[in-house]
């Protein structure tokens, strides 16, 4: 079964195989990023902008704001979770509260969007 | 490449969604193939069903579109009865009980906790009473807004109700306009209050006059491309067109067909017509409208009436919001009742409907300030009506902090939300009423609280604008607000300046108190609050007042979005009893 991922309801959440997996409103710790000038960005996710698959990872760019300094914008690509067993399509989301490193370029199998 | 949502819409959309909805209702929640859920939820919106947020699987919000916010007392009773019977979730709301109706900022009605299996029965009841959920959400003509008391209100330029009825009949269930790139919000204002708030709609008709063949004609000026969402607020742009009431349907159809054909179907974030107007400018929009979409020659704009507007206008001399007792043109009275954050218990709704009927009322109105109007009360019955028990809580003479407060849906049900909204706004309003002395000169004070940047509570056009955010307090994440000041409509519509960012939710009431003290000291009592804010520039407003903890207590300070329902005893996601067992 191909993994189907998309953002829905105006970017309110990330759906993996038609199950709601990740919400907006979580705080994400970002390290080694150029989103803002904070060493660690304390990033409030307000909307999923782009979603892609880089097996087994599900990647995304999120619109939001660093609540430490107030900078707002869209992050580079973040790993949002992984689909461990593509047949069963089980998804394991990352913990937003742990540390994440956004990356600029990725060759992604973009979903049909 | 067209977006994924466009692909789903190409397969099935519009009126055709209904038979599938009925099939799923018959076969049950589990009959929706798991890998088609997202597509079906998107399509259900066209029929007014919006799936509630994570943790509330199998439950839907249902929106009923009431053009002009207008109902009969009978229809109101039906809505109350449906809410009472079907809009009950697994857990009650501590402020509002087990079943309630929301009067929305676009004069519609929202019910929550609706289950698919009940939809056919609900539709049957609604439709037997001339009510419908058609196109209440989704990418097409939404509920058409305007003055609910059109034809009765003395403060009226022309009666826009027949125009709105015609638009409603023409563009609801019309396949040519069923699938637009995005939502399509239309306002038609015929009054001199400006109560349609056309300025913030995709397409607006505002009252105007123009001399045609030597004769002064009443009609509307046309504006296009208003909207508040996503930190990209726009006032609708003047496209320099005056229309007579008879011409409204052709021009409205033309502009929406233009949007259908030219709107962005590749990027939903760029799809609203406000962005097309940004790109084209009003002149090009007018030219394309004239060349390709309208048969007759468009006239230039007439003389508008914005200087008379009183609705959400921040004026000291008059409050145009319909609350209170107002004489109608026929000598009867309409009475506007304040409904705090627009939410009314189902029993109260039924009681109000009975009462309205007993007093011979033929019309109930819902306003964009989330209030309710009972029309057609005879002068000799007025005193009796005003002393009815229900009016003690839903007051025609509310305290300004209660009267002016608006809140959206928030983390209780909404996927996009960042913070809890309605229950918190109720607590804010009560605390302010009990703890803050109203400065001289303030009879009306608008606080609009939205749970995220979608701006459903119209936060940018209020005295105090609150937009959901997060911050940290002692290292812990807490719900917070960005605070804006000085927004409003009226003669010079203005969006708020955002002056205090990420204020912890429990420090907001203290901020408002401190700000009002400063106003009180600096103001002579003649200047309205909005005028006071206006004469300060943004730099001066930053830090003008301090956020502060007070005796106000906030039970929702933690992350309510992490819960399955913020007011449950066991709030963790894992404790969610949803999806509901497909019973009955
Ligand atoms: C389940 C709850 C809701 C959801 C998920 C929701 C979603 C949204 C979204 C995504 C937007 C952004 C609009 C856009 O860019 O097209 C929006 C804006 C808006 N919605 Fe809602 N909404 C909800 C409830 C409400 C309610 C209760 C009302 C009142 C009828 C409402 C009225 C509005 C208004 C007035 C705007 C802003 C004005 C504009 O940009 O047109 N919404 N909503
Ligand atoms: S403003 Fe945001 S939180 Fe409030 S109802 Fe609209 S989408 Fe939901
Ligand atoms: Zn930062």
């Amino acid at each position: 079964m191909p993994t189907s991922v998309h953002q829905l309801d105006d970017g309110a959440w990330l759906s993996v195989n038609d199950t709601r997996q990740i919400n907006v409103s979580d705080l994400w710790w970002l390290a080694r990023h150029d989103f803002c000038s904070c060493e660690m960005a304390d990033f409030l996710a307000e909307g999923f902008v782009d979603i892609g698959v880089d097996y087994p990872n599900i990647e995304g760019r999120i619109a939001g704001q660093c609540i430490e300094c107030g900078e707002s914008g869209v992050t580079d690509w973040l790993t949002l979770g992984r689909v461990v067993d593509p047949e069963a399509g089980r998804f394991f989301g990352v913990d937003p509260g742990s540390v994440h490193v956004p990356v600029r370029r990725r060759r992604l199998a973009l979903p049909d969007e | 490449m067209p977006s994924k949502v466009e692909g789903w819409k190409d397969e099935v959309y519009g009126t055709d969604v209904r038979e599938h909805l009925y099939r799923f209702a018959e076969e049950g929640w589990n009959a929706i193939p798991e890998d088609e859920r997202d597509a079906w939820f998107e399509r259900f919106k066209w029929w007014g069903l919006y799936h509630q947020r994570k943790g509330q699987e199998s439950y839907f919000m249902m929106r009923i579109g009431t053009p002009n916010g207008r109902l009969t007392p009978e229809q109101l009773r039906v809505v109350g009865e449906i809410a009472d019977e079907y809009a009950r979730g697994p857990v009650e709301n501590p402020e509002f009980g087990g079943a309630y109706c929301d009067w929305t900022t676009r004069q519609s009605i929202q019910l929550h906790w609706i289950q698919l299996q009940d939809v056919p029965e609900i539709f049957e009841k609604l439709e037997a009473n001339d009510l419908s959920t058609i196109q209440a959400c989704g990418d097409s003509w939404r509920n058409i807004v305007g003055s609910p008391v059109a034809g009765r209100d003395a403060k009226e330029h022309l009666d826009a109700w027949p125009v709105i009825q015609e638009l409603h009949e023409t563009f609801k269930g019309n396949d040519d306009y069923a699938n637009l790139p995005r939502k399509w919000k239309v306002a038609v204002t015929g009054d001199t209050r400006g109560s349609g708030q056309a300025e913030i709609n995709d397409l607006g008709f505002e009252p105007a006059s123009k001399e045609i063949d030597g004769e002064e004609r009443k009609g509307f000026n046309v504006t296009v491309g208003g909207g508040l969402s996503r930190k990209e607020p726009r006032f609708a742009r003047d496209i320099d067109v005056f229309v007579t009431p008879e011409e409204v349907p052709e021009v409205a159809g033309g502009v929406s067909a233009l949007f259908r054909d030219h709107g962005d179907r590749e990027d939903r974030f760029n799809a609203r017509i406000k962005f097309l107007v940004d790109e084209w400018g009003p002149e090009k929009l007018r030219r394309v409208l004239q060349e390709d979409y309208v048969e007759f020659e468009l006239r230039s704009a007439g003389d508008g009436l914005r200087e008379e507007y009183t609705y959400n206008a921040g004026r000291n001399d008059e409050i145009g919001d319909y609350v209170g007792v107002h004489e109608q043109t026929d000598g009867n009275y309409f009475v506007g009742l304040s409904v705090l954050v627009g939410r009314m218990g189902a029993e109260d709704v039924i009681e109000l409907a009975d009462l309205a009927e007993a007093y011979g009322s033929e019309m109930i109105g819902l306003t964009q300030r989330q209030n309710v109007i009972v029309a057609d009360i005879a002068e000799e019955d007025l005193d009796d009506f005003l002393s009815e028990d229900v009016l003690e809580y839903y007051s025609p003479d509310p305290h300004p902090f209660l009267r002016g407060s608006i809140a959206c849906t928030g983390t209780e049900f909404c996927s996009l939300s960042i913070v809890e909204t309605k229950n918190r706004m109720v607590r804010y309003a009560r605390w302010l009423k009990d703890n803050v002395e109203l400065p001289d000169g303030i009879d009306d004070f608008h606080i609009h609280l939205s749970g995220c940047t979608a701006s459903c509570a119209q936060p940018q056009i209020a005295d105090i604008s609150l937009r959901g955010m997060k911050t940290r307090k002692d290292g812990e994440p807490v719900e917070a607000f960005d605070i804006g000041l000085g927004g409003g409509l009226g003669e010079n519509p203005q969006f708020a300046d955002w002056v205090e960012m990420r204020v912890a939710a429990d420090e907001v009431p203290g901020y408002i108190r401190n700000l009002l003290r400063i106003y009180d000291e600096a103001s002579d009592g003649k200047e309205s609050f909005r005028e006071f804010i206006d004469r300060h520039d943004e730099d001066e407003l930053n830090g003008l007042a301090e956020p502060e903890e007070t005796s106000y207590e906030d039970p929702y300070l933690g992350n309510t979005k992490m819960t399955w329902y913020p007011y449950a005893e066991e709030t963790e996601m894992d404790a969610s009893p949803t999806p509901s067992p497909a019973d009955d």
Side-chain angles (χ1 to χ4, degrees), chain B residues 264-501:
Chain B
D264 187 347
R265 289 189 191 256
E266 299 190 357
D267 179 3
R268 292 183 66 74
F269 294 122
N270 191 46
R272 293 283 293 275
I273 200 172
K274 65 185 176 187
F275 298 115
L276 188 67
V277 183
D278 287 358
E279 193 187 320
W280 284 10
E283 297 79 16
K284 176 171 175 189
L285 191 127
R286 187 187 200 281
R287 192 174 72 230
V288 176
L289 178 68
Q290 177 74 77
E291 284 169 7
D292 299 340
Y293 295 97
V294 175
E295 298 285 326
F296 69 94
E297 183 160 354
L298 295 168
R299 281 177 227 92
S300 61
D303 297 323
L305 304 176
R306 277 197 183 173
E307 70 277 8
E308 292 180 43
Y309 287 5
T310 53
Y311 197 82
N312 196 19
R315 286 164 71 140
N316 247 6
D317 55 341
E318 195 181 330
I319 310 172
D321 67 1
Y322 301 110
V323 172
V325 178
H326 304 266
E327 191 172 359
Q328 296 178 187
T329 46
D330 64 2
N332 287 331
Y333 288 79
F334 69 80
V335 182
L337 308 177
S338 169
V339 182
L340 187 51
V341 303
R343 182 168 285 180
M344 206 163 166
E347 280 173 28
D348 295 343
V349 172
I350 295 168
E351 195 176 333
L352 187 69
D354 290 344
L355 202 63
E357 204 160 65
Y359 279 86
S361 166
E362 291 177 10
M363 199 216 82
I364 303 293
L366 309 177
T367 78
Q368 294 188 39
R369 302 202 55 75
Q370 301 181 323
N371 294 320
V372 61
I373 299 170
V374 180
D376 311 324
I377 307 290
E379 185 166 11
E380 64 267 25
D381 296 337
L382 209 46
D383 287 341
D384 288 344
F385 181 74
L386 292 173
S387 55
E388 295 283 353
D389 288 347
V390 208
L391 274 66
E392 236 165 83
Y393 185 69
Y394 305 104
S395 169
D397 184 22
H399 189 283
F401 288 132
L402 307 185
R403 179 176 188 157
S405 296
I406 288 183
C408 74
T409 304
T411 52
E412 184 175 17
F413 302 115
C414 174
S415 297
L416 277 128
S417 60
I418 310 288
V419 301
E420 205 282 339
T421 51
K422 282 196 195 280
N423 290 29
R424 176 175 278 140
M425 186 68 246
V426 167
R427 298 174 69 90
Y428 279 179
R430 291 198 186 128
W431 186 88
L432 290 167
K433 171 172 153 286
D434 294 341
N435 293 281
V436 178
E437 204 177 326
L438 261 185
D440 282 345
I442 292 193
D443 300 317
D444 193 28
F445 191 71
H446 292 180
I447 305 175
H448 295 186
L449 186 157
S450 246
C452 80
T453 60
S455 303
C456 301
Q458 308 170 348
Q460 301 93 333
I461 48 170
D463 294 310
I464 303 278
S465 308
L466 301 176
R467 184 172 67 197
M469 251 294 136
K470 289 251 169 99
T471 191
R472 283 187 193 267
K473 239 180 140 131
D474 309 320
E476 289 303 310
V478 295
E479 299 195 354
F481 290 94
D482 287 345
I483 303 180
L485 299 176
L489 299 181
E491 184 175 3
N492 299 303
Q494 205 152 8
F495 294 127
D497 287 328
W498 294 96
V499 302
E500 291 291 333
M501 309 312 262

Side-chain angles (χ1 to χ4, degrees), chain A residues 36-38 40-42 66 68-71:
Chain A
C36 62
S37 53
C38 300
M40 294 279 283
D42 199 358
C66 170
E68 180 61 34
C69 69
E71 185 67 40

Side-chain angles (χ1 to χ4, degrees), chain A residues 6 9-10 15 18 25 42, chain B residues 34 38 182 230 470 472:
Chain A
H6 32 258
D9 292 352
D10 300 295
S15 162
D18 283 63
S25 94
D42 199 358
Chain B
E34 255 177 62
D38 292 343
R182 204 70 164 70
R230 301 246 161 221
K470 289 251 169 99
R472 283 187 193 267

